[in-house]
Amino acid sequence: MGFRCGIVGLPNVGKSTLFNAITAAGAEVASYRFCTIDPNIGIVPVPDKRLENIAKLIHPKKMIPTTLEFFDIAGLVKGASKGEGLGNQFLDHIRNVDAIAHTVRCFENENVAHDFGSIDPIRDIEVIQTELILSDLQTLERRKTKAEKMHRVGAKEASLELEVYQEVQTVLNQGKSARILHMTGEKKTIFSDLHLLTGKPVFYVANVDQKELRGEGSCLKAMIEWAQKEESKVVIICGDLEAELAELEEKEREEFRKELGLGGSSLERLVQVGYEILSLVTFYTTVSSELKAWTVSKGTPSPKAAGKIHSDMERGFIRAEVISFSDFMSCGSDHVAREKGLLRSEGKDYLIRDGDIVHFRFHV
């Protein structure tokens, strides 16, 4: 699994259109509020040209890419945390995602209603951020009440929990996201266990029309400036256009995107940003004629990466035989790479790098 991504936003901003464009799942799309009621869930293979290039050299019987899981929940509205609309019912569905794609409407369409009657991406972002903060405060209050009861009966761990909860509550009450906090040690573990929505990495998806794509509108510019101030990433998509492109052959899609100045599909751009903000890397294994891609955090030690494949491999780790993707492509095989001294033997302290092709040696 690459990572899990939750798609949030106001009603009618194009979340389900985006979901369909990246998953080809056929989720219902309509121009009225709460078209999405039950959360849509889609698992898609990660586009990976390196995996394809390795396969061309070794001709595996089976090629398995890493995958992404997307959750598209009902549109959130102002007051969702107090019971307005439907979206807040489903926020718990994305408490365990790794990142949030906050979809924002940057297109005019008189046939698609807007909750506030006008297009204003900054206002819309602030509405959603407020609802996520309020939802987190509710979560925090429940956990705090439980910790206070435990503290009264003498539970030692409750004291540190309450300290963390107070720090988080202070930040949220200031209208800020919990992700600005940087905790370490036991505090970090307690914080992570809260699964706060505002504690997760966020990137924005600007759903634009073709006028904005041509640089003739003001919404996208305002949104990019906002994101830059908070040091967030923006992925630009044209939801309706992506839906149309999905009907074309791959070659035609690529040519069309080049004409519009779009680098890669919406899925490829989402993957790139997601991997960046989560600091993820991909490594590859070739065992029993099976070529497989794996995703781990940057800085993962080789035994832990082996454990991603099987716990026995981590437990009985001996060494990792590693060759970089570029070296492998220039050599054409493990045999040639070994002769040239490019296939390295690495121990327990080796940190997996993006593009590594690894064979783990272990004994249980």
Side-chain angles (χ1 to χ4, degrees), residues 196-325:
L196 296 175
L197 295 168
T198 65
K200 300 179 185 300
V202 170
F203 62 94
Y204 295 105
V205 179
N207 190 6
V208 304
D209 53 23
Q210 294 194 46
K211 183 178 79 172
E212 290 282 353
L213 272 183
R214 294 191 298 268
E216 297 171 5
S218 58
C219 288
L220 182 58
K221 182 181 177 184
M223 187 176 164
I224 289 174
E225 288 175 353
W226 167 277
Q228 286 174 340
K229 287 178 184 176
E230 62 171 47
E231 298 181 342
S232 297
K233 303 272 186 183
V234 177
V235 177
I236 302 167
I237 70 143
C238 181
D240 289 339
L241 180 62
E242 287 289 344
E244 292 176 20
L245 286 172
E247 302 296 321
L248 301 176
E249 294 294 328
E250 181 59 36
K251 190 174 181 180
E252 292 176 302
R253 287 201 294 265
E254 289 183 9
E255 290 174 356
F256 203 0
R257 288 193 187 100
K258 284 179 182 176
E259 289 177 14
L260 294 169
L262 296 172
S265 67
S266 55
L267 175 58
E268 288 171 324
R269 284 175 275 137
L270 285 172
V271 168
Q272 182 180 351
V273 168
Y275 272 57
E276 283 178 16
I277 66 173
L278 292 169
S279 296
L280 300 176
V281 298
T282 301
F283 72 93
Y284 307 92
T285 57
T286 55
V287 180
S288 301
S289 299
E290 179 180 280
L291 169 63
K292 191 166 184 178
W294 305 85
T295 298
V296 293
S297 298
K298 190 179 292 183
T300 296
S302 49
K304 191 172 180 182
K308 180 98 175 177
I309 301 169
H310 198 285
S311 58
D312 283 349
M313 295 176 71
E314 180 175 6
R315 188 158 52 93
F317 179 88
I318 299 172
R319 67 180 184 275
E321 295 177 352
V322 185
I323 180 173
S324 69
F325 170 76

Side-chain angles (χ1 to χ4, degrees), residues 76-94:
L76 298 174
V77 298
K78 189 174 183 179
S81 57
K82 299 176 183 177
E84 293 292 326
L86 297 173
N88 196 48
Q89 297 176 30
F90 303 115
L91 282 175
D92 282 342
H93 287 281
I94 59 169

Side-chain angles (χ1 to χ4, degrees), residues 82-359:
K82 299 176 183 177
E84 293 292 326
L86 297 173
N88 196 48
Q89 297 176 30
F90 303 115
L91 282 175
D92 282 342
H93 287 281
I94 59 169
R95 287 213 176 267
N96 291 316
V97 300
D98 302 305
I100 290 177
H102 183 164
T103 307
V104 184
R105 180 170 170 175
C106 292
F107 65 88
E108 298 278 359
N109 188 331
E110 60 184 19
N111 296 318
V112 180
H114 190 291
D115 261 29
F116 299 109
S118 62
I119 306 302
D120 184 341
I122 309 307
R123 174 203 59 208
D124 295 354
I125 288 171
E126 291 175 335
V127 167
I128 296 298
Q129 285 186 339
T130 298
E131 294 307 321
L132 296 182
I133 287 171
L134 291 172
S135 180
D136 279 350
L137 281 168
Q138 290 176 0
T139 298
L140 200 60
E141 196 58 45
R142 290 193 294 270
R143 296 291 284 270
K144 194 175 177 184
T145 300
K146 183 179 178 181
E148 285 170 345
K149 289 180 181 177
M150 297 299 293
H151 184 60
R152 285 196 291 271
V153 297
K156 293 180 180 179
E157 67 276 8
S159 180
L160 185 60
E161 287 178 7
L162 286 170
E163 188 179 330
V164 171
Y165 298 162
Q166 186 56 54
E167 285 184 50
V168 176
Q169 195 171 46
T170 299
V171 167
L172 294 177
N173 282 330
Q174 293 171 351
K176 298 174 183 176
S177 296
R179 60 181 165 273
I180 70 170
L181 290 165
H182 299 287
M183 297 190 180
T184 57
E186 290 183 54
K187 281 190 171 185
K188 184 177 181 180
T189 302
I190 294 169
F191 176 79
S192 298
D193 190 50
L194 285 167
H195 298 293
L196 296 175
L197 295 168
T198 65
K200 300 179 185 300
V202 170
F203 62 94
Y204 295 105
V205 179
N207 190 6
V208 304
D209 53 23
Q210 294 194 46
K211 183 178 79 172
E212 290 282 353
L213 272 183
R214 294 191 298 268
E216 297 171 5
S218 58
C219 288
L220 182 58
K221 182 181 177 184
M223 187 176 164
I224 289 174
E225 288 175 353
W226 167 277
Q228 286 174 340
K229 287 178 184 176
E230 62 171 47
E231 298 181 342
S232 297
K233 303 272 186 183
V234 177
V235 177
I236 302 167
I237 70 143
C238 181
D240 289 339
L241 180 62
E242 287 289 344
E244 292 176 20
L245 286 172
E247 302 296 321
L248 301 176
E249 294 294 328
E250 181 59 36
K251 190 174 181 180
E252 292 176 302
R253 287 201 294 265
E254 289 183 9
E255 290 174 356
F256 203 0
R257 288 193 187 100
K258 284 179 182 176
E259 289 177 14
L260 294 169
L262 296 172
S265 67
S266 55
L267 175 58
E268 288 171 324
R269 284 175 275 137
L270 285 172
V271 168
Q272 182 180 351
V273 168
Y275 272 57
E276 283 178 16
I277 66 173
L278 292 169
S279 296
L280 300 176
V281 298
T282 301
F283 72 93
Y284 307 92
T285 57
T286 55
V287 180
S288 301
S289 299
E290 179 180 280
L291 169 63
K292 191 166 184 178
W294 305 85
T295 298
V296 293
S297 298
K298 190 179 292 183
T300 296
S302 49
K304 191 172 180 182
K308 180 98 175 177
I309 301 169
H310 198 285
S311 58
D312 283 349
M313 295 176 71
E314 180 175 6
R315 188 158 52 93
F317 179 88
I318 299 172
R319 67 180 184 275
E321 295 177 352
V322 185
I323 180 173
S324 69
F325 170 76
S326 57
D327 285 342
F328 184 82
M329 294 306 295
S330 64
C331 293
S333 71
D334 285 346
H335 178 71
V336 175
R338 193 183 298 274
E339 287 182 342
K340 291 186 175 182
L342 297 173
L343 195 149
R344 313 183 310 276
S345 181
E346 302 286 358
K348 293 182 178 181
D349 295 332
Y350 179 72
L351 306 181
I352 296 294
R353 299 173 188 169
D354 190 43
D356 277 349
I357 301 169
V358 189
H359 183 74

